Amino acid sequence: MSLIDTLRTLPGGGQQPRKRKTLVNSRVWKFLATHRLVTTLILIATASSIVFISYVGINSSSIPIYPNQVAGVQITANVAFDYVSHQQAELTREQIRNRVPRVYKLDDEPLRKFEAAIKDLLADLDTFEKRYPPEGAENPVRTASFNALLVAFNARGPYNTTAAEVRTLLDIGDANRRREIAETALQTLREICKDGIQDNALAMMTASDGTSTLLRITRPGGESVERTVRTLENARSELRVSLASEGLRRRTINTIARIFDNGLAPNIRFDEVATEALKMEATIKMPSPVVHVEKGQIIIENGKRVTSEQHEMLEAYRAYQLEHNTESSSADMQFLRRILVVLAMVLACAIYMRIEDPETLQSNGRLALLALVVVFNLALVRVTYWLSELPYFMHHSEAASILPYLAPTAIAPIIVVILIDAGSAIFMALLISVFTSVIYGNRLDVLVLTFFASIIATYQCRHVRRRSSIMRAALYGGIAVSCFALLFGIIDQQSFLGPDFTVPRQILTGLINGVITGVIVVGLLPIIETLFQRTTDITLLELTDYNHPLLRRMQMEAPGTYHHSLVVAQLAENAANAIGANPLLARVCALFHDIGKTNKPEYFTENQRDRANPHDENNPSLSALIIKAHVKDGVDLAIKNKLPRAVIDVIQQHHGTSLIRFFYHRALGEKRYQASGSASPIPHHGGTTPPVVVTRPPFAMQNSPGLDPVPVSESTYRYDGPRPQFKESAIILLADGVEAASRSMRKVTPQHLGELIDQIFRDRMDDEQLDDAPLTFADLNKIRNSFVLTLLNMLHSRVAYPPTEEKTVEQTNDKGTPPADAPQPEPAK
C-alpha cells in the first residue's frame, strides 16, 4: 500500500467530500436566453443606441465638410452674421501684389569690363604703331603682330571685332585722336547704361513702344525710382549720333561704332528682394474685408463641390453658433426622421436574420452579441468624428480630412464572422457603413470605402485560426482604405505632393486604421468569448495542444482512455468535415469527452490491462453509478479548467440517455437467479460495460419457463443525458460507440466493418438518441462512409513475417493451435 493510501486510512485522513462544479441553468437564465420579451428589449436598446450615437449632437452645420469635397447636405444660415473673410482678403492681396510693378537693378559690370578692354586695345595700338610705322611695308611679322593684338582684344569679352574695324581705328589718326574718339564713345555708353538697356524679352513683357520703357530701377542707396530705359537698337543709334559729332565720315562712323557696340549689352536685372519689399509695403496696410451673410442664405449646396470661400463661410457660421449658442433647425435633420431611418435599418436586420439566420433570433445571447459589437463599433466611429471638434482640427481642415479614413468600421464585421457567420458579418458591415456615412455628412464615398474595406477584412477572416491572421486581415482592410484614398485624390485632382500632403496623409491613415482595427479585435475576442460563451477556432486550436493539463493527466493516469479519445477525435473530425460541420470543434470535443474517467481510471476496461476488475466486487447498480459518474466528473473538470461551453456540452451529451447494457443484463440475471434460489451464472470476465445500448431490454430472459420475472429499474442503468443537441455532439456519440465496438473485431474487412457500424447506427436511432440532433439521413450516410474509411486506414493489416522455427514450436502445440496461456484478444470496451 502506498503512503498516500495509508494516510487516507488514518482517522481524519480520509478524503474530504469533493464539491462538484455545475453549470448554471436557472429559470432566470433560461428566460434571458430565449424569451421574446428580452429579444424585443435588445432590438429597442440597439435602435436607441444607434440613434444616440449617429444623430445626437450632430446637425447639418456640424457635419465635417472639407474644401474640394462634394457636399452631401445643404446647409442654410438660420441667422444673419458677419465675419472677416481671410479668403477674400488673400484674393484682394494677391491682386494688389500682381499690380505692383517689378523692380530692377542696373548691372555695370559689362561696361567696366569693356572700358578696360578698350584701354588695353588703344595701348596695344600705340605700341604697334611705334614698332611698325604706318609708312612701313606690310610683312608677315607685322601682320602676325596685328592679328595677335586683335585676338587679345576679342578674348577679353569675348567680343566680335574684325581686323578691318581695328585697322580703321588705327588709321583714323594718331594716338590722341584715337583716345578722343574712344572717350566720346565711352561717355555715350556710360550715359546709355546709366539709364539702362533692356533686351527684347523684357520689352515684350513690359509692352514698351520699341524705343524706351519706363521701369522702376533700384538706386545704389536702395531707393527705387522710375526711369526710362532704352532698347538695344535705340542705344546703338544714339552711339552713332554721338560719333558723328567728331566730324568723321559716315562709313568710318559705322565701322568704329561696331567696335563700341560690344560695350552695349542689356544691363537690367530683376531685383527680387526689392520687388517683394514693394509688394509687402503695398499690402501691409490693406484692411480685411467683412462679409455679411443674410438669414436663409445657402452656405453649402448639396451635390456641389465645396470651394474654399464656402468652407470659410461655414467655419465662420459654426463659430458664430458656438459663440451665441444657437442651433440649426434644418428640416431635413428632424429627430423623428432620424428615428425612422434607424428603425428601418434595424427592422431590415431582423428580417434578414429571420430569413438567413433564424438561430440568431432564437438566441438572445447571439442577438446581444451582434447588438453589442455594432454599438461599440459605431461608438468608436463617433469618437473619430468627435476629434473633428477639437481646436486643432477645426483650424486645420487638411488634417481633419483624414478622420473619415481613421474610423475603424471593420471591427464588428470581423468579430461577427469569427464568432457567428459570414452572412451576418456582411450585413453588419453594411449597417455600420451606412451610419458612418450619415455621421460624416451623408458622404457616399465614405459608405463605399468603409463597406469595401470591411468586406475585404471579413473575407480574410472566414476560416481564421491564428491571431496573426486577424492582424493580416485587418491590414488588408486598411490597404483597401488607402487605395480608395488614392483614387479619390486622383478624381478630385488633388496634388499627391501638394503643400499639405493631404493624399499621402490619407493613405497613411488608412494603413493605421488597419493596424488599430486588428489590435482592437485581437484584444476584444477573449473577452467576448468569455462573456457570451462563444468559442472561436483560435481557442479550439490552442486546446489541441497535447500538453494541456487535462490531456497530460489522461496520458499518465488513463492511457487507454487517452488512446480511445485520439481515435474518436480522428473519426469525429473526418466525419464532421464530410457533412460540413466544424471539424476542429469535433476534434477538440472528442479529445476531452472522457476526461471524467481520470478520476477512477481502473473502473474502465481500456485502462485495466492485467489488473483485477474492481467491478467484480460491486453490485451492478453501483457499477453503473460509477460508470455514469464519469460524465459528471468530466463536466466538473471542464468547468474547473475553463473549457469552452461546447466541450462541456459534448461531455454531457456524448452518451445521451443510452443504456449501460452490460450491468443492466447482469442485474437482470442476478434478480432471476436470486428469485430461483441459485447463484448467478454470469461469469466476470474482468471487463466493464461497453457503452453499447439496445432498443429494448431482453425481457424474454425474465419470462423463461419456471421463473418469475423480477423488475429492474431501467433508469438506474441509463445515462442522465441530455441527448446530443448539435451535429458535432451526435457525431462523437456515434464515433464513441463505433470505436469501442471495432476493438472486438478479429478480422477487419469493409463488409464486416460496415455491418458493425450499420448495427450501431440502427441501435442509436431505435433508442431515439439522435432525435434532437440536426442530422439528416444523408448526413448519417456520409458519417457512416467516413467511419468505414477512417477505421480501415487505422486497422489495416500488415505483412505477416514468417516466425523462426524455434519460436513456432514454442508458441504452438502439436495441433498447430495457440496454447491456452497465449495472449487473448482484448475484450470490447
Side-chain angles (χ1 to χ4, degrees), residues 32-273:
L32 294 175
T34 59
H35 202 278
R36 296 296 92 189
L37 177 60
V38 178
T39 304
T40 304
L41 292 177
I42 291 175
L43 294 176
I44 294 175
T46 303
S48 303
S49 301
I50 294 176
V51 169
F52 179 81
I53 293 172
S54 303
Y55 293 112
V56 173
I58 299 177
N59 50 52
S60 59
S61 61
S62 64
I63 290 174
I65 297 176
Y66 313 108
N68 207 33
Q69 168 196 331
V70 177
V73 295
Q74 177 172 299
I75 301 178
T76 304
N78 64 338
V79 292
F81 66 98
D82 297 327
Y83 72 97
V84 176
S85 176
H86 299 287
Q87 288 289 336
Q88 291 191 13
E90 184 61 30
L91 180 61
T92 304
R93 190 177 294 111
E94 189 63 27
Q95 292 175 351
I96 293 176
R97 288 169 61 88
N98 292 335
R99 288 198 296 264
V100 172
R102 295 160 66 93
V103 181
Y104 299 88
K105 59 184 177 180
L106 300 177
D107 186 7
D108 298 333
E109 182 62 25
L111 179 59
R112 287 196 298 268
K113 185 177 181 181
F114 180 75
E115 287 183 2
I118 286 294
K119 291 178 181 179
D120 291 341
L121 176 61
L122 294 176
D124 292 341
L125 289 176
D126 292 345
T127 303
F128 179 81
E129 189 176 31
K130 291 178 182 178
R131 184 178 300 177
Y132 305 103
E135 64 276 5
E138 191 71 30
N139 57 69
V141 177
R142 177 177 178 154
T143 303
S145 179
F146 183 81
N147 291 336
L149 179 150
L150 176 63
V151 170
F153 173 74
N154 286 333
R156 293 186 181 97
Y159 303 121
N160 298 318
T161 303
T162 64
E165 295 169 353
V166 176
R167 181 74 66 179
T168 303
L169 181 61
L170 180 62
D171 297 339
I172 200 173
D174 57 7
N176 293 330
R177 179 60 176 166
R178 287 193 295 269
R179 282 181 169 78
E180 290 177 2
I181 295 175
E183 184 61 29
T184 301
L186 290 175
Q187 184 62 31
T188 303
L189 292 180
R190 294 188 191 100
E191 294 295 332
I192 295 174
C193 291
K194 183 179 179 181
D195 291 337
I197 303 174
Q198 62 179 343
D199 56 7
N200 293 330
L202 181 60
M204 293 177 62
M205 184 175 64
T206 55
S208 66
D209 58 3
T211 58
S212 62
T213 305
L214 186 63
L215 296 179
R216 184 170 291 272
I217 306 296
T218 304
R219 288 181 175 179
E223 182 183 0
S224 60
V225 295
E226 291 187 350
R227 183 178 297 175
T228 301
V229 297
R230 299 172 177 82
T231 63
L232 191 58
E233 291 75 9
N234 182 259
R236 288 171 179 169
S237 300
E238 190 171 342
L239 175 61
R240 283 160 174 76
V241 171
S242 177
L243 290 175
S245 63
E246 294 294 329
L248 300 174
R249 292 182 300 176
R250 183 180 183 86
R251 185 173 181 179
T252 304
I253 292 173
N254 291 334
T255 302
I256 295 176
R258 283 195 292 270
I259 298 176
F260 289 92
D261 283 346
N262 291 300
L264 291 174
N267 64 341
I268 300 297
R269 304 289 183 265
F270 175 65
D271 191 345
E272 184 177 1
V273 175

Side-chain angles (χ1 to χ4, degrees), residues 552-578:
R552 291 293 298 172
R553 178 181 175 184
M554 192 187 302
Q555 294 175 38
M556 303 302 297
E557 299 180 10
T561 300
Y562 177 72
H563 179 265
H564 160 74
S565 299
L566 292 180
V567 178
V568 173
Q570 190 63 46
L571 289 169
E573 182 178 16
N574 293 344
N577 194 50

Side-chain angles (χ1 to χ4, degrees), residues 546 562-578 583 586-591 593 731-732 735 739 783 786-787 789-791 793-794:
Y546 294 141
Y562 177 72
H563 179 265
H564 160 74
S565 299
L566 292 180
V567 178
V568 173
Q570 190 63 46
L571 289 169
E573 182 178 16
N574 293 344
N577 194 50
R587 180 176 186 83
V588 172
C589 293
L591 287 175
H593 80 284
I731 291 173
I732 293 173
E739 193 279 334
I783 294 172
S786 175
F787 284 173
L789 180 62
T790 303
L791 287 174
N793 292 331
M794 286 184 175

